[in-house]
Amino acid sequence: MYNRLSRQRRNWLCGDLRTDVSRMRIYKDIVEGAPDVVCIISPDIQSQVLYINKAARCLLQIEPAQLVGLSFWDIIHMEDKMALFGALAAVTTIKSAVNFEKLDCRVVTNHPGIYMSIRMALSKGMQGIVCVMCREDTLSAISHMPTDG
């Protein structure tokens, strides 16, 4: 009796684990295939890049592996750091009602001294701050698309 219950419980747990792993693979495929840069930033003052998807290669012309471990502050233009600090504070403050913050700023590219204007969305996630970045000109092109009707 005990062995049968143990096997049933183990099969049930293995089935749940397989489902969870399958679900995580789907999420990973979505994030890795996204056209926008998706990154996770540590919620502390260093704001270290913990993860960044492959879109960084196209948007920023920098290999994602080069950015992991760097402080997010190192890739933001000096004049935009105060706005970023405010946005990060808004999404990380415990008593804050804000859980999503938008920001326009400039980020470094692979070419020294050349910055790219981007639109950034920040939100607090379970592993850190989730940051989604896309080019501003892409957003304006999308927002000016004609609609049927």
Side-chain angles (χ1 to χ4, degrees):
M1 179 74 166
Y2 175 75
N3 286 337
R4 188 179 66 162
L5 289 175
S6 179
R7 279 192 304 270
Q8 286 176 339
R9 187 176 322 145
R10 185 182 64 224
N11 290 339
W12 178 70
L13 290 173
C14 287
D16 283 352
L17 183 61
R18 278 191 216 98
T19 301
D20 289 346
V21 168
S22 177
R23 200 174 293 137
M24 285 189 292
R25 284 185 184 141
I26 290 170
Y27 295 142
K28 184 176 187 267
D29 288 346
I30 290 169
V31 170
E32 284 297 326
D36 298 334
V37 175
V38 178
C39 63
I40 307 291
I41 306 165
S42 66
D44 55 16
I45 194 69
Q46 287 84 21
S47 299
Q48 186 179 28
V49 177
L50 303 174
Y51 167 83
I52 191 160
N53 70 346
K54 295 175 188 174
R57 187 178 301 125
C58 294
L59 183 69
L60 306 175
Q61 299 155 2
I62 299 175
E63 287 297 318
Q66 290 179 299
L67 296 172
V68 173
L70 286 180
S71 173
F72 198 64
W73 299 107
D74 293 340
I75 66 170
I76 302 296
H77 190 279
M78 181 63 73
E79 295 174 6
D80 298 328
K81 289 184 180 186
M82 283 304 293
L84 177 61
F85 184 78
L88 288 171
V91 297
T92 57
T93 304
I94 293 173
K95 293 184 180 182
S96 175
V98 177
N99 56 10
F100 180 77
E101 192 73 24
K102 291 182 186 176
L103 175 68
D104 293 330
C105 65
R106 290 159 289 179
V107 294
V108 71
T109 65
N110 201 23
H111 308 289
I114 298 178
Y115 289 84
M116 178 179 297
S117 294
I118 57 135
R119 176 146 304 151
M120 185 183 300
L122 301 165
S123 65
K124 189 172 184 180
M126 292 180 66
Q127 302 297 321
I129 299 165
V130 178
C131 175
V132 178
M133 296 182 270
C134 62
R135 290 178 60 141
E136 285 185 349
D137 57 352
T138 305
L139 281 179
S140 61
I142 291 170
S143 65
H144 291 98
M145 288 180 69
T147 56
D148 295 337

